[in-house]
Amino acid sequence: MLGDNITIGQVLIVTVFSMGIVFLALLVISYIIDGFRFVFYKENKGVDKRQKKSIEPEKIEPKEIFNEEEDDEELVAVITAAIATNISRPASEIKIRNIKRVPTNTPVWARAGRFKQFELIDR
Amino acid sequence: MFLDILRQFWTSTGFSALTIKEVVMIGIASGLLYLAIKKGYEPYLLIPIAFGMLLTNLPLGGLMAEPVKEIVKDPVTGQMVYKTKEVGGLLYYLYQGTKLGIYPPIIFLCVGAMTDFGPLIANPRSLLLGAAAQFGIFFTFIGAKFLGFTGPEAASIGIIGGADGPTALYLTTRLAPHLLGAIAVAAYSYMALVPIIQPPIMRLLTTEQERKVKMQQLRPVSKKEKIIFPIVVATFSILLLPSSAPLLGMLMFGNLIRESGVVERLSNTAQNALSNIITIFLGLTVGATAKADSFIDITTIKIIVLGLIAFSIGTAAGVLFGKIMYKVSGGKVNPLIGAAGVSAVPMAARVVQKVGQEENPSNFLLMHAMGPNVAGVIGSAIAAGVLLMFFGS
């Protein structure tokens, strides 16, 4: 459309027009994505289900500690504290019955990132 | 007799043909190798680029030599036909993938297969931050014009501000292939320097209170949304701007094979093997275009300086737009995430996380910054499409 030699005026027109197109395109895409939320995402249902899921198990859990290794007691303490902080309830309300190691699906980089976070907080 | 042989041998070696400029280039290539290996600056790209640069500047190797063709009379048909007299160099043939604009879109395919657009879908307004950060491209475009570059050259230099390697290489091969070496070195060096360039600008433009803002947790994004996203974005963007088709088309295709979940092998190949193979070819051949005669020139220094300006202005524009969003949203948006709009995935987002955490150790901005970050990739591909529309032949 334009050649090698362009005037300053043309440069400014290209700049304004291009920025306009970039903004317009991304704005329209952002509105399309807004549409996704209404069509595919049922906010309330999703939230209710998740809340139920996360609260129910703690109430049922009876008192029994799975002893296998020496460190288990410490592990239980750590897990209890983590759950207590997460759901904002005193640790005395939570009883750990069973601990099972779940095979991790987290990618290596995500784990590396988390470790880095821990290091930062420790400092 | 013996002396003649010795003399002939000497003239056949590269040592006899080595010029001062080539020695300087070998020094630059070694310097880049040092930065890549010892300092870890984008080693996956800088090592192939620097080694390509080294190889092409060793005289008489002919790795980038063009094939010699002659016109001869076909003995059977009697017609005049082209015949290859001498085949070209190894890197010359590999370079065709760069020159013809094949490798960068394939890299985009791989990037698409590696990218999770979830954070962007969860917070669609972050697309605007990705758009704002593209201002660095056009600011530099104007600056390059003032420094005496032609329109297509200025556009290619400006795109360094998009902080997206494949986009910069793609646009440059289309508009100003003679600047490819300098632009590649500038783009990838600055991308490696994002953690050094961005934080001072981010701190300068924001108040402590703004940097401390904690953002609301992002909503979960359903699989359906993630699958439909690439299809819709590709369709809309390419209809709007057909010249962006190679980059955006491949990016969204790569993302679709990732999110569809039914072609695991294709997705894996794109994320690993294909990406690595093309990176090797692209890096080596882009480096090989940096020949002493064209690279050691005031133009290269201008490009390096303009590239830094492009990065800085892009970051600043993103942060300033973030401040606008901070005001409009009533303090819910942390303006730092605007800096991630320059793309440079995922480095820029990690820088945002780090700077945010310095102010408030319990603040986790990473996922919020990933939105503008991947939006920046789409934004710079669209910007490249617009520039291609203006200056492409």
Side-chain angles (χ1 to χ4, degrees):
Chain A
M1 204 183 281
L2 294 171
D4 278 1
N5 294 316
I6 48 171
T7 62
I8 295 300
Q10 283 172 322
V11 168
L12 292 177
I13 291 170
V14 169
T15 300
V16 173
F17 183 82
S18 306
M19 269 317 277
I21 290 283
V22 172
F23 259 104
L24 178 82
L26 294 187
L27 189 69
V28 172
I29 295 175
S30 84
Y31 280 119
I32 295 174
I33 299 174
D34 273 343
F36 281 10
R37 183 193 286 254
F38 294 113
V39 181
F40 301 108
Y41 181 66
K42 309 282 182 283
E43 198 160 0
N44 292 332
K45 275 187 192 171
V47 170
D48 283 345
K49 267 186 193 169
R50 264 178 289 120
Q51 275 177 352
K52 272 182 196 165
K53 265 186 194 168
S54 61
I55 290 173
E56 273 171 7
E58 290 128 28
K59 286 182 181 168
I60 310 162
E61 283 168 274
K63 181 185 181 179
E64 195 179 313
I65 293 173
F66 197 78
N67 266 327
E68 205 176 331
E69 282 172 24
E70 277 181 22
D71 280 344
D72 267 5
E73 213 163 310
E74 196 182 329
L75 186 65
V76 172
V78 170
I79 290 174
T80 313
I83 294 173
T85 320
N86 199 26
I87 60 170
S88 315
R89 295 248 184 95
S92 54
E93 281 185 21
I94 301 160
K95 279 145 200 173
I96 304 273
R97 183 179 53 171
N98 196 354
I99 299 168
K100 260 188 210 156
R101 181 178 284 276
V102 182
T104 175
N105 286 325
T106 322
V108 182
W109 62 266
R111 264 183 281 153
R114 268 175 223 160
F115 283 129
K116 199 153 189 192
Q117 300 299 339
F118 293 147
E119 281 168 20
L120 277 174
I121 293 168
D122 282 345
R123 254 185 256 160
Chain B
M1 172 69 186
F2 182 68
L3 273 180
D4 275 348
I5 293 174
L6 259 186
R7 202 173 294 133
Q8 270 180 7
F9 173 71
W10 172 248
T11 49
S12 76
T13 64
F15 289 108
S16 66
L18 204 60
T19 63
I20 291 290
K21 277 187 170 183
E22 281 161 347
V23 174
V24 174
M25 286 306 291
I26 292 169
I28 294 176
S30 309
L32 289 173
L33 283 172
Y34 171 79
L35 290 177
I37 297 168
K38 181 80 181 172
K39 301 274 180 186
Y41 287 177
E42 294 275 332
Y44 281 92
L45 267 149
L46 223 44
I47 291 179
I49 289 180
F51 208 80
M53 207 182 241
L54 177 75
L55 289 178
T56 199
N57 286 295
L58 298 173
L60 309 181
L63 281 172
M64 277 297 268
E66 289 187 22
V68 180
K69 293 196 170 178
E70 58 182 353
I71 302 172
V72 291
K73 201 171 189 179
D74 191 305
V76 182
T77 61
Q79 283 174 327
M80 302 305 273
V81 287
Y82 272 113
K83 199 179 162 206
T84 307
K85 196 175 167 193
E86 262 176 55
V87 291
L90 170 67
L91 292 184
Y92 168 82
Y93 288 109
L94 291 179
Y95 174 63
Q96 299 311 305
T98 308
K99 189 181 170 190
L100 300 172
I102 296 169
Y103 299 150
I106 296 181
I107 293 273
F108 249 55
L109 187 164
C110 305
V111 171
M114 290 181 215
T115 306
D116 176 12
F117 283 104
L120 183 69
I121 301 172
N123 182 12
R125 289 301 160 268
S126 56
L127 270 160
L128 296 180
L129 291 167
Q134 307 312 318
F135 184 65
I137 295 177
F138 298 102
F139 185 89
T140 314
F141 168 64
I142 298 172
K145 175 64 199 160
F146 274 107
L147 283 180
F149 287 99
T150 65
E153 286 173 349
S156 304
I157 296 168
I159 203 76
I160 297 173
D164 195 275
T167 310
L169 296 181
Y170 181 74
L171 192 71
T172 310
T173 54
R174 308 274 88 180
L175 299 183
H178 55 288
L179 300 180
L180 197 59
I183 287 179
V185 169
Y188 283 110
S189 310
Y190 289 135
M191 264 157 66
L193 292 175
V194 157
I196 298 167
I197 300 172
Q198 286 199 318
I201 300 169
M202 291 156 76
R203 288 194 202 102
L204 186 74
L205 294 175
T206 50
T207 63
E208 197 184 323
Q209 192 198 353
E210 286 168 344
R211 288 196 293 275
K212 279 187 173 165
V213 171
K214 276 194 180 182
M215 293 181 68
Q216 246 174 11
Q217 204 184 346
L218 294 171
R219 73 173 173 92
V221 174
S222 68
K223 196 179 165 199
K224 258 188 205 162
E225 287 173 279
K226 285 188 177 179
I227 293 176
I228 290 169
F229 176 81
I231 303 170
V232 170
V233 171
T235 311
F236 168 74
S237 322
I238 296 171
L239 282 177
L240 179 74
L241 208 62
S243 51
S244 68
L247 291 177
L248 279 176
M250 287 295 108
L251 180 74
M252 292 304 156
F253 169 64
N255 190 244
L256 182 64
I257 59 175
R258 170 203 171 93
E259 300 297 354
S260 67
V262 291
V263 282
E264 196 64 28
R265 291 205 309 272
L266 298 191
S267 171
N268 274 339
T269 304
Q271 290 183 37
N272 301 296
L274 185 63
S275 157
N276 294 338
I277 292 167
I278 301 297
T279 302
I280 292 173
F281 288 168
L282 187 69
L284 265 182
T285 57
V286 161
T289 61
K291 284 220 170 90
D293 294 333
S294 57
F295 195 85
I296 301 181
D297 191 62
I298 187 75
T299 311
T300 304
I301 295 171
K302 283 184 192 169
I303 291 173
I304 303 274
V305 173
L306 284 165
L308 179 62
I309 295 173
F311 255 70
S312 310
I313 297 286
T315 304
V319 174
L320 289 176
F321 200 84
K323 280 172 85 91
I324 296 175
M325 287 178 75
Y326 168 79
K327 290 262 155 51
V328 173
S329 67
K332 282 185 187 160
V333 175
N334 189 319
L336 288 180
I337 65 167
V342 295
S343 22
V345 184
M347 187 78 94
R350 278 159 60 185
V351 169
V352 171
Q353 161 74 14
K354 202 165 156 254
V355 175
Q357 211 157 46
E358 278 167 15
E359 294 296 338
N360 183 351
S362 65
N363 206 355
F364 291 90
L365 292 173
L366 188 65
M367 285 323 271
H368 298 285
M370 279 314 285
N373 211 189
V374 294
V377 179
I378 302 176
S380 42
I382 293 178
V386 183
L387 289 171
L388 205 56
M389 180 192 82
F390 277 118
F391 297 106
S393 48

